[in-house]
Amino acid sequence: MALGPGLLLVAGSFAAFRLLNRGLERLVPPPPSARRNRWKWRNIWTSLAHSLLSGGGALAGCCLHPGLPEDLAGTHPPGAHSLVAMSIGYFLEDFVDMLCNQKLQQSWELLFHHSVVIICFGIAVVLHQYVGFALVALLVEINSIFLHLRQILLMANLVHTTCYRLNSIINLGTYVVFRIATLAWMTRWLFLNRENVPLVTYAVGTVGMAIMTPMNIILFYRLLRSDFFKSSREVQQDKEK
């Protein structure tokens, strides 16, 4: 168990995303409609940067190594361990950012989500096992790109635009393919390989999937209702949250 390199990557990633968060307001100044919630504007752009890096890296790893699903426990593409460690650093940074800037009653769901991800990814990084499984989990970040773009468009008051409508359609499509289907496939893999996975690891993975799956189904319902079945007044209320 080589803790050093993995922990260094996590710490370096945390520091890098923290610096990015601090400098983003200069790189992407908030529009007038987002100026009263500047921390969230920076937070969403930081999250978008992570989703582009991790989602793109996960997709490249899965495409370049089509045999990956055969052994998610012991093998993984080059760079996958670093990608997962980088993601832990981001989730830690986002956890701290929300804890410092948002009320607990508003952020508890995401804080809980991040805690589960940090634990599961942490096991993969420390043990150098199930890195392939964590890499597959990062495919959900492809959908997160469009989730974050949706929030940016909401904060920029661009709800009634073709860009927002197009993003809403792509968001729902990628949600089904890269989030719901990916989580379903991971749950199936865990079930089929339960005899080859140590009990503790299997328990952590199963609990993680049991938490993530209903959370993502609820979020899908909220998105469907908000972007396709909601009044303009309710959309405005979402933007102001």
Side-chain angles (χ1 to χ4, degrees), residues 3 10 84 88 116-128:
L3 290 178
V10 171
V84 175
I88 295 175
V116 173
V117 173
I118 290 165
I119 291 169
C120 293
F121 282 16
I123 290 172
V125 168
V126 170
L127 298 180
H128 281 259

Side-chain angles (χ1 to χ4, degrees), residues 82-186:
S82 299
L83 188 67
V84 175
M86 180 272 290
S87 289
I88 295 175
Y90 158 74
F91 283 115
L92 285 169
E93 190 280 330
D94 200 46
F95 189 100
V96 171
D97 196 36
M98 285 189 290
L99 210 56
C100 293
N101 293 289
Q102 199 170 30
K103 293 178 181 177
L104 190 60
Q105 64 204 46
Q106 294 176 308
S107 62
W108 73 268
E109 285 183 69
L110 273 176
L111 292 174
F112 185 53
H113 168 274
H114 285 13
S115 300
V116 173
V117 173
I118 290 165
I119 291 169
C120 293
F121 282 16
I123 290 172
V125 168
V126 170
L127 298 180
H128 281 259
Q129 292 285 312
Y130 308 101
V131 176
F133 191 77
L135 185 71
V136 172
L138 282 174
L139 286 173
V140 303
E141 291 298 326
I142 294 170
N143 167 251
S144 293
I145 294 169
F146 302 100
L147 279 174
H148 299 319
L149 283 173
R150 176 183 180 274
Q151 287 183 295
I152 289 168
L153 291 168
L154 277 169
M155 291 193 73
N157 205 19
L158 296 171
V159 181
H160 304 294
T161 62
T162 302
C163 188
Y164 183 87
R165 175 59 60 181
L166 180 62
N167 185 75
S168 296
I169 295 168
I170 297 172
N171 185 26
L172 283 184
T174 55
Y175 201 104
V176 172
V177 174
F178 290 106
R179 195 172 283 268
I180 293 177
T182 296
L183 290 172
W185 187 89
M186 290 171 67

